[in-house]
Amino acid sequence: MNITLRVWRQKSRDDEGRMVTYQVEDVSPDMSFLEMLDVLNEKLTLDGHEPVAFDHDCREGICGACGVVINGVAHGPETTTTCQLHMRSFKDGDVIDVEPWRAKAFPVIKDLVVDRGAFDRIIQAGGYISAPTGTAPDAHAMPVPKADADRAFDAATCIGCGACVAACPNASGMLFTAAKVTHLGMLPQGQPERAARVVKMVNQHDEEDFGGCTNIGECAAVCPKGIPLDTISQLNRDLLGSLASGNPK
Ligand code: SF4
Ligand code: FES
């Protein structure tokens, strides 16, 4: 396959940035999207040009490092991570636009790489427990209703990629925050901080300049881990309960 790429190039946070067009030839349909970018970068390097900066680590869909907007859709045309998207999802001769996540809370560092430190600070604000959980057998000794365990596990599959923010017209980070709140809040070990956690994490979310959730649902539509929209309902229930208790410390 021969592909025309239009890639966002931006030297630094302060640079204005612009789309640059490249031709990539002999692309195998079995290449991942990142492998196709590797081919482009190898050519750019051999030609003496600066390669395109993009984030990646595991390339197996589990670390959450990768993520670009492809033809206007976070992670591209399949509901998966950018590293697990394959070129067979495109056609020979396609023109593909590649851009970084666009959100005030995720400033561009270089080209397609954004600073997602805001997610780390939301986790630091409340994404932990203080209960000693012991070794694995001790933890298993505490019975957890199956439905709660399943909901906690499903929420815990959030990999922090940020696609939900990139897809949201409000650039809200509420699906990510709700996944973290739900993951810990459904388990007995997460109860001591449950009321305070949701308030602290939502406050941090708002301080980071993410937008508010208006139930549009674009976040859940692109989430590679299928985090459902009703985790945000769970967050709202916890938040209202905590504020109503009058002492969310
Ligand atoms: S909720 Fe989904 S889209 Fe958002 S950070 Fe987690 S895995 Fe990524
Ligand atoms: S590189 Fe780890 S999820 Fe894509």
Side-chain angles (χ1 to χ4, degrees):
M1 298 160 68
N2 294 326
I3 300 289
T4 301
L5 283 184
R6 295 195 301 208
V7 184
W8 184 257
R9 304 298 315 255
Q10 185 174 341
K11 282 186 171 50
S12 67
R13 191 170 291 199
D14 301 326
D15 182 28
E16 210 175 41
R18 68 209 186 285
M19 297 297 268
V20 179
T21 302
Y22 302 102
Q23 305 298 329
V24 190
E25 288 161 7
D26 294 330
V27 173
S28 160
D30 297 327
M31 280 179 183
S32 73
F33 199 84
L34 298 188
E35 285 167 342
M36 182 274 296
L37 289 180
D38 288 340
V39 171
L40 169 66
N41 276 348
E42 198 170 337
K43 184 172 183 311
L44 287 175
T45 307
L46 289 173
D47 291 348
H49 300 299
E50 182 99 0
V52 177
F54 62 89
D55 249 337
H56 61 106
D57 189 6
C58 70
R59 297 200 177 199
E60 292 180 352
I62 53 175
C63 75
C66 70
V68 291
V69 175
I70 301 166
N71 287 342
V73 181
H75 288 310
E78 314 287 341
T79 312
T80 187
T81 54
T82 302
C83 61
Q84 291 292 293
L85 175 68
H86 289 84
M87 294 311 294
R88 65 182 81 98
S89 299
F90 302 91
K91 295 190 306 293
D92 182 38
D94 269 0
V95 178
I96 306 173
D97 287 351
V98 191
E99 297 170 85
W101 292 164
R102 304 245 185 232
K104 197 173 172 190
F106 288 164
V108 172
I109 296 173
K110 185 174 182 180
D111 297 337
L112 304 174
V113 179
V114 300
D115 180 354
R116 283 173 295 166
F119 270 7
D120 297 333
R121 291 186 290 275
I122 292 174
I123 296 287
Q124 285 164 7
Y128 52 81
I129 59 167
S130 60
T133 54
T135 59
D138 291 342
H140 289 156
M142 184 178 291
V144 180
K146 177 82 166 74
D148 291 352
D150 285 351
R151 190 149 170 80
F153 183 85
D154 288 347
T157 60
C158 164
I159 53 175
C161 63
C164 44
V165 176
C168 176
N170 306 330
S172 174
M174 212 34 93
L175 193 67
F176 164 82
T177 309
K180 302 307 171 190
V181 163
T182 302
H183 157 210
L184 296 174
M186 296 309 295
L187 297 174
Q189 297 92 337
Q191 298 313 306
E193 288 87 15
R194 183 170 177 174
R197 175 184 303 118
V198 65
V199 175
K200 287 178 181 170
M201 292 181 84
V202 168
N203 281 343
Q204 190 65 39
H205 169 280
D206 294 349
E207 273 177 34
E208 296 290 350
D209 274 338
F210 291 107
C213 172
T214 49
N215 284 322
I216 293 170
E218 291 289 332
C219 52
V222 299
C223 175
K225 298 300 162 184
I227 303 295
L229 208 51
D230 72 358
T231 50
I232 298 179
S233 312
Q234 175 81 50
L235 176 143
N236 286 331
R237 276 196 297 277
D238 276 19
L239 184 64
L240 290 174
S242 178
L243 295 175
S245 76
N247 189 25
K249 295 279 188 277

